[in-house]
Amino acid sequence: MSAPLRSNEPMVVQVALGARAYDIVIGRGLIASLGARIKTLRQGAKCAIVTDAAVAKLHLPAAEAALKASGIDCTPIVVPQGEASKSFATFETVCEAIIAARIERSDLIVALGGGVIGDLAGYAAASVRRGLDFVQVPTTLLAQVDSSVGGKTGINSHHGKNLIGAFHQPILVVADTALLDTLPAREFRAGYAEVAKYGLLGDAAFFSWLEANWKEIFAGGAAREHAIAVCCRGKAGIVARDERETGERALLNLGHTFGHALEAGAGFSQRLLHGEAVALGMTLAFEFSARKGLIGEADATRARAHLAAVGLPTHLKDVPGGVPGLDALMELIAQDKKVKRGKLTFILVRSIGQAFVENDVGAAEVRAFLADKLSRL
Ligand SMILES: NC(=O)c1ccc[n+]([C@@H]2O[C@H](COP(=O)([O-])OP(=O)(O)OC[C@H]3O[C@@H](n4cnc5c(N)ncnc54)[C@H](O)[C@@H]3O)[C@@H](O)[C@H]2O)c1
Ligand SMILES: [Zn+2]
């Protein structure tokens, strides 16, 4: 697989969901076309742009200018940056601000930001006036390859992450890859874990291509657009076949059961970003698959080597401040996924690029595996 030569034409990936189908448009500098694209879809609509304080400083002026150039009225709604904004309190603020801006059923919400903003603004769009249309303008790598596509929206509960929410598909996703130039290197790297995930779970050729081309993705060359398009195509296909996650969509959780436990253990803090936890979680999922005899050690080593090469954590000792003990980790894993009669659901692999859902993993074998890992710390 090779990257296409740079062209000025944006790439378009379609999410085939019948009456709710939409385009993901990917390209450098696309934010300038935001107004024109919205006008084509919803002539006469006005917008509320939901964003966070950090993104507002960097990219809100360009988004507002693009809308104004097309004669679209817009009201900015700026919330604090960070996961804490996926709360009832901020959700209330955003909903009230949307209503105060007189956004009606024929108008639009624009989510300008990372996954936090996409989830929060998307859920507000799903809720205000029983459902407003919304457009995703993802500004992190994680959001461009994952959270802006597929219609999962929501906020956090005191009991856990993303427990309150709705499926609400956007009507358009505009992924301007130049917006990622301002992203802190650590955030970019964390988002890259989700890029690698698409190769590891379903596309061995893409994973090989990533091994050869990852530096150009980080540098912002044409490989960046290509990689984002491949990921979006992968996710769009899965979402179109299984929108509500009754089956195949669960594959996107590769590395997430172990990852969420580690992320929760670090208190969802800057100590361990989501993508970093996913890199560790995928490494563990590959090692666990090797331990079960599903893959050879060489595949597990290769998966780890690539994640480590880009600078992602792949050893439990890489987590600053350490990881929870065995009992606490098992408790967190049991909370994340339902345990039925001692059996857990995990995404395991048959090879690089071939993940599958295994509903019959014994809690005891996970415990033995983790005990082994922890004893080597
Ligand atoms: N809905 C889904 O399907 C789905 C999938 C995966 C993750 N998520 C959710 O996504 C969230 C994580 O998303 P995230 O990693 O994008 O986090 P985020 O939205 O918090 O963004 C990370 C940080 O980067 C900053 N930032 C964003 N864009 C920037 C830019 N262009 N330049 C400089 N700084 C920028 C933000 O202000 C923030 O501080 C989690 O809440 C997770 O639950 C949702
Ligand atoms: Zn993830």
Side-chain angles (χ1 to χ4, degrees):
M1 195 185 295
S2 58
L5 293 173
R6 184 186 291 283
S7 90
N8 291 329
E9 285 298 304
M11 295 185 212
V12 181
V13 174
Q14 281 166 342
V15 187
L17 282 169
R20 285 168 295 109
Y22 55 96
D23 284 349
I24 307 162
V25 196
I26 302 152
R28 188 163 266 279
L30 273 187
I31 200 155
S33 67
L34 183 62
R37 289 177 193 281
I38 286 179
K39 205 167 167 183
T40 307
L41 284 174
R42 291 287 184 278
Q43 181 79 36
K46 54 183 185 302
C47 296
I49 308 183
V50 183
T51 190
D52 74 30
V55 177
K57 261 190 216 139
L58 295 162
H59 303 299
L60 181 58
E64 283 181 316
L67 294 175
K68 282 185 186 140
S70 291
I72 299 172
D73 259 11
C74 60
T75 306
I77 301 172
V78 182
V79 305
Q81 72 191 93
E83 184 72 25
S85 279
K86 276 173 62 174
S87 64
F88 272 116
T90 314
F91 176 68
E92 180 183 357
T93 306
V94 171
C95 290
E96 294 290 0
I98 290 170
I99 296 163
R102 300 185 190 282
I103 298 292
E104 308 277 346
R105 287 290 291 273
S106 54
D107 298 325
L108 281 174
I109 306 300
V110 175
L112 173 72
V116 164
I117 290 301
D119 283 10
L120 172 71
Y123 187 42
S127 310
V128 174
R129 298 189 192 280
R130 299 195 181 83
L132 299 167
D133 285 338
F134 86 118
V135 173
Q136 290 268 20
V137 185
T139 65
T140 63
L141 181 58
L142 178 138
Q144 293 196 352
V145 299
D146 195 351
S147 61
S148 67
V149 175
K152 282 191 183 176
T153 71
I155 57 174
N156 301 328
S157 142
H158 294 301
H159 295 279
K161 256 175 71 96
N162 302 324
L163 289 178
I164 302 137
F167 282 98
H168 188 54
Q169 300 289 347
I171 62 163
L172 172 71
V173 181
V174 175
D176 180 345
T177 57
L179 301 185
L180 306 182
D181 293 346
T182 58
L183 199 60
R186 186 178 173 203
E187 291 286 353
F188 192 95
R189 213 162 35 235
Y192 183 85
E194 306 277 7
V195 174
K197 181 184 79 177
Y198 288 99
L200 290 171
L201 79 84
D203 192 340
F206 181 52
F207 187 74
S208 300
W209 181 83
L210 289 174
E211 289 177 310
N213 294 281
W214 67 269
K215 284 186 183 147
E216 206 202 324
I217 298 173
F218 279 69
R224 183 183 286 177
E225 280 99 280
H226 177 70
I228 292 169
V230 171
C231 296
C232 287
R233 221 174 285 136
K235 182 154 184 184
I238 290 175
V239 167
R241 291 188 292 273
D242 179 22
E243 186 182 10
R244 300 247 161 184
E245 197 169 318
T246 53
E248 185 187 356
R249 189 166 177 170
L251 295 178
L252 296 169
N253 295 330
L254 174 65
H256 282 60
T257 298
F258 287 126
H260 278 155
L262 296 168
E263 203 181 355
F268 297 102
S269 69
Q270 289 294 309
R271 221 156 37 84
L272 191 65
L273 300 180
H274 174 75
E276 294 169 344
V278 169
L280 271 162
M282 290 193 296
T283 310
L284 290 169
F286 267 76
E287 283 185 3
F288 187 58
S289 300
R291 187 179 161 110
K292 286 174 73 67
L294 293 162
I295 56 168
E297 290 290 340
D299 274 348
T301 304
R302 188 176 157 205
R304 159 178 283 144
H306 180 56
L307 297 168
V310 310
L312 284 161
T314 56
H315 290 282
L316 293 177
K317 67 172 166 40
D318 295 340
V319 180
V323 296
L326 186 57
D327 287 340
L329 267 182
M330 287 306 295
E331 182 73 13
L332 288 165
I333 285 171
Q335 272 169 21
D336 187 63
K337 288 280 169 301
K338 278 201 198 85
V339 193
K340 285 186 196 142
R341 291 192 203 95
K343 298 293 183 187
L344 297 158
T345 297
F346 269 84
I347 311 305
L348 301 179
V349 282
R350 285 197 188 89
S351 68
I352 285 181
Q354 274 193 43
F356 67 100
V357 183
E358 176 56 273
N359 293 309
D360 197 29
V361 177
E365 50 177 330
V366 177
R367 193 180 172 89
F369 168 68
L370 288 174
D372 197 31
K373 297 259 90 181
L374 291 170
S375 71
R376 291 176 205 199
L377 278 182

